[in-house]
Amino acid sequence: MTLPSHSSLCLSAEQSELRDTVRAFLARLPDAPWSRFAGELGVAGLAVPEEYGGAGCGPAETAVVCEELGRALSAHPYLQTAVLAVEAITATGDPAVMARLLPDLAGGSLTATVLLPDDAGLTLEGDLLTGTARAVLPGELVLALVGGTLVEAVPSSRVPLPTLDQTRPLVALAFDAVPVVRLGGGAPERVRDAGVAALAAEQVGGAAACLEAAVSHARQRHQFGRAIGSFQAVKHKLADMLLLVESARSAALAAARAPAPELPVLAAVAGSYCTEAYLGAAAENIQLHGGTGITWEHPAHRYFKRATCDAWLFGPPQAHRARLASAAGL
């Protein structure tokens, strides 16, 4: 079932069509490979300029896709490929670099990841990269922001990691004095803010799915001859979940549509609020399902695991609030 929300009112006709198309594809082919998802729908290149094979859209459109991926708990490497890598490459402003890398990313034939300064203790000496990046998003093309420079490097080793959230793989990448290709000046804060905003949209999608599941269960589950959704205590819980989800969606939409000067603050707001909203909605969904909610067969635990791991992907809510305090001069 689909609950009414203000999101449809906030989307253009094209964005609504994009949302519906992505949702239908994920429902019909949840296990489709990345090349088919990215190539058939053309969503990997939404933020890629048209001259490099993309659609020339922006964060508002990628946020629409991210929300649907979060709603479906998809394992597609969209966040690291279509958001972080595209943002990092575009930020170099080098036409030759963009012409070499962006078409393959836009077409879905290449996945990528970006190692941010906080992700690893990497050092760049001359053109040699050394260090280990632990628990990072996987990608075929590895880019690293080191010392204000974006570089391309082939890791010495890639080790898949066991994770609490099995729907989002993580790897450890080691670099043993490997040669790099310097791509140009980096913009680590800009790339991180873009990632935080996109992740916030994912978190909204997951939280909305939890709300939908909880409402559906409350309508179908009966006790004492009545649907449990008719009990006042359950109504209050569902109303609180609705407030969390819709407020989180407002924060995520604001970050996705923020002008560049306002993005750091609005991304921090979205990162803080959406993280806690997803954790709260996922926990309440388990609670409202009762004993069923804690079984391995029910998907409720998967959303809680995704929400828990997402809370540390770009830093916990406290880190985002610290950035807000710094921006406010506190």
Side-chain angles (χ1 to χ4, degrees), residues 3 74 132 161 203 231-232 250:
L3 293 175
S74 173
T132 301
L161 300 177
Q203 290 169 321
F231 300 143
Q232 189 175 33
S250 293

Side-chain angles (χ1 to χ4, degrees), residues 119-138:
D119 291 334
L122 300 178
T123 58
L124 186 60
E125 297 182 1
D127 287 330
L128 299 178
L129 185 66
T130 301
T132 301
R134 297 179 175 85
V136 296
L137 298 169

Side-chain angles (χ1 to χ4, degrees), residues 39-297:
E40 189 170 313
L41 297 184
V43 293
L46 282 176
V48 174
E50 293 182 20
E51 59 266 34
Y52 302 113
C57 298
E61 284 71 33
T62 57
V64 171
V65 178
C66 286
E67 182 170 341
E68 293 308 311
L69 291 170
R71 183 177 182 273
L73 290 182
S74 173
H76 286 310
Y78 192 84
L79 179 61
Q80 60 265 47
T81 300
V83 178
L84 294 175
V86 169
E87 187 69 29
I89 293 167
T90 304
T92 66
D94 188 330
V97 171
M98 291 189 281
R100 179 169 67 88
L101 298 176
L102 289 181
D104 287 341
L105 294 178
S109 60
L110 179 68
T111 64
T113 191
V114 179
L115 309 182
L116 296 166
D118 294 342
D119 291 334
L122 300 178
T123 58
L124 186 60
E125 297 182 1
D127 287 330
L128 299 178
L129 185 66
T130 301
T132 301
R134 297 179 175 85
V136 296
L137 298 169
E140 296 163 330
L141 171 68
V142 177
L143 307 174
L145 285 159
V146 186
T149 302
L150 181 67
V151 301
E152 176 185 349
V154 177
S156 305
S157 66
R158 300 172 186 252
V159 180
L161 300 177
T163 57
L164 174 67
D165 173 20
Q166 297 176 341
T167 65
R168 196 193 291 279
L170 295 175
V171 297
L173 303 178
F175 302 87
D176 184 14
V178 300
V180 303
V181 177
R182 293 176 179 264
L183 303 180
E189 291 302 321
R190 171 178 161 182
V191 175
R192 177 176 293 280
D193 288 339
V196 171
L199 179 62
E202 273 197 28
Q203 290 169 321
V204 169
C210 290
L211 174 59
E212 291 177 7
V215 170
S216 177
H217 180 74
R219 287 175 171 170
Q220 296 172 12
R221 175 71 167 139
H222 284 70
Q223 287 184 346
F224 309 110
R226 296 168 55 186
I228 64 171
S230 66
F231 300 143
Q232 189 175 33
V234 174
K235 288 180 180 179
H236 286 173
K237 281 185 173 292
L238 294 173
D240 288 342
M241 287 180 69
L242 178 62
L243 177 61
L244 279 177
V245 171
E246 292 303 321
S247 298
R249 182 173 280 118
S250 293
L253 284 172
R257 298 171 181 181
E262 299 177 17
L263 178 58
V265 168
L266 292 176
V269 170
S272 174
Y273 192 88
C274 295
T275 295
E276 294 188 334
Y278 192 7
L279 285 166
E284 288 289 13
N285 184 38
I286 293 174
Q287 178 74 20
L288 284 163
H289 275 82
T292 303
I294 61 172
T295 60
W296 190 257
E297 292 77 13

